[in-house]
Amino acid sequence: MQFRPCIDLHNNQVKQIVGGSLRDDAAGLRTNFESEYDSAYYAEMYKRDNLTGGHVIMLGPGNEESALLALKTYPKGLQLGGGIKPENARQYLEAGAAQVIVTSYLIEDGAVSQRRLDELMKVLDPAELVIDLSCRKTAAGDYLVVFDRWQKFTAQKISADLLEKLSQYCCEFLIHAVDMEGKMSGVDGELVAKLAAESPIKCVYAGGISSYEDIDLIAANGGGRIDYTVGSALDIFGGHLSYQKLAARTNGGA
């Protein structure tokens, strides 16, 4: 189990945003943290500490300059997501992304589109693609994939069949528990256990981590198979969990 760092970008600035509050206009946007440092500062930190597989997410338009700066600073050390589609995927890989992360492009008529998967495979190998299946839990207990900055529900349930099918097209899944994201209210242990039991490939969980006990819960429920990312709770983003401690754990420290 590894710690995956992140760089979330909004209006070309590194921020930590409360999940589900991002919309086309600024109304309703809630942030936990807005950094005085640029994306290169964080990318250089992750490079120095030999942390791989972290993700840079462009939250809406107007973030390409900062995203490309991060990729240039840590080439092949970071994944990139946000507005990725067949027309631009290769340019980001050539600019230094280790993989590209795709979410909304894959959704068509309320479900993951086979046609769009096929279009991606014309320009990408599975080793170059991470599929984001960020989700929200319904009253019925199903986890439904959400898209368009997590504002829209699909009819697509997270299931063993879906994960098995999509695993043929990508190298891992990134899954935000959207209702937990940015709230530091604890992790969705049920979702972690579900991913560990049903996914044939690596999953990265994000959402709600606020303590070392939360990380231990991911380890226990995930059987050591689920990697994790911490945002708002990290001290480098104004929180209280030690980035250096998590980096040391990933690199074999205590």
Side-chain angles (χ1 to χ4, degrees):
M1 185 178 82
Q2 294 187 334
F3 162 57
R4 304 288 194 95
C6 65
I7 302 172
D8 291 348
L9 300 171
H10 180 253
N11 290 340
N12 257 333
Q13 185 180 6
V14 178
K15 297 181 181 180
Q16 286 293 310
I17 290 176
V18 177
S21 72
L22 182 63
R23 292 172 171 80
D24 290 332
D25 56 30
L29 179 68
R30 289 179 289 153
T31 61
N32 289 323
F33 177 78
E34 300 186 16
S35 181
E36 62 182 297
Y37 301 110
D38 64 12
S39 62
Y41 171 86
Y42 294 96
E44 182 61 40
M45 184 188 307
Y46 304 155
K47 180 181 179 181
R48 178 198 69 206
D49 293 327
N50 196 32
L51 296 175
T52 58
H55 54 267
V56 180
I57 303 294
M58 297 185 288
L59 296 168
N63 293 297
E64 187 169 78
E65 179 182 349
S66 288
L68 292 174
L69 178 61
L71 299 182
K72 180 180 179 181
T73 303
Y74 191 6
K76 300 306 177 184
L78 298 164
Q79 303 167 350
L80 178 71
I84 305 298
K85 48 193 173 182
E87 293 79 5
N88 63 17
R90 288 237 65 87
Q91 78 180 55
Y92 289 120
L93 291 168
E94 290 166 3
Q99 287 88 23
V100 289
I101 305 167
V102 177
T103 313
S104 294
Y105 172 78
L106 286 178
I107 306 301
E108 191 172 37
D109 298 326
V112 175
S113 167
Q114 183 63 52
R115 181 183 71 83
R116 292 190 173 184
L117 278 170
D118 292 340
E119 288 299 311
L120 278 171
M121 288 299 99
K122 291 178 181 178
V123 298
L124 296 175
D125 293 325
E128 298 172 318
L129 176 62
V130 174
I131 293 180
D132 185 327
L133 294 176
S134 295
C135 59
R136 305 180 97 154
K137 191 176 183 180
T138 68
D142 296 316
Y143 289 95
L144 296 185
V145 176
V146 292
F147 70 111
D148 193 7
R149 283 169 270 181
W150 302 336
Q151 295 301 312
K152 297 178 182 178
F153 278 87
T154 70
Q156 189 80 70
K157 297 178 183 178
I158 302 288
S159 66
D161 287 345
L162 177 69
L163 297 172
E164 178 65 39
K165 174 186 175 180
L166 296 183
S167 69
Q168 304 170 53
Y169 299 92
C170 64
C171 61
E172 66 184 34
F173 299 117
L174 172 62
I175 302 180
H176 294 77
V178 173
D179 290 325
M180 309 291 188
E181 180 69 16
K183 298 178 181 178
M184 294 178 283
S185 58
V187 303
D188 188 332
E190 181 182 344
L191 177 58
V192 171
K194 181 179 179 64
L195 297 175
E198 296 181 354
S199 177
I201 61 174
K202 175 66 71 178
C203 291
V204 181
Y205 170 89
I209 295 174
S210 62
S211 67
Y212 299 112
E213 289 75 18
D214 286 334
I215 296 169
D216 292 340
L217 179 63
I218 294 171
N221 285 23
R225 298 187 60 235
I226 307 298
D227 287 356
Y228 65 96
T229 185
V230 185
S232 298
L234 272 186
D235 55 2
I236 60 172
F237 298 131
H240 58 278
L241 294 186
S242 167
Y243 161 80
Q244 286 297 339
K245 183 173 182 177
L246 298 187
R249 281 187 177 187
T250 290
N251 291 319

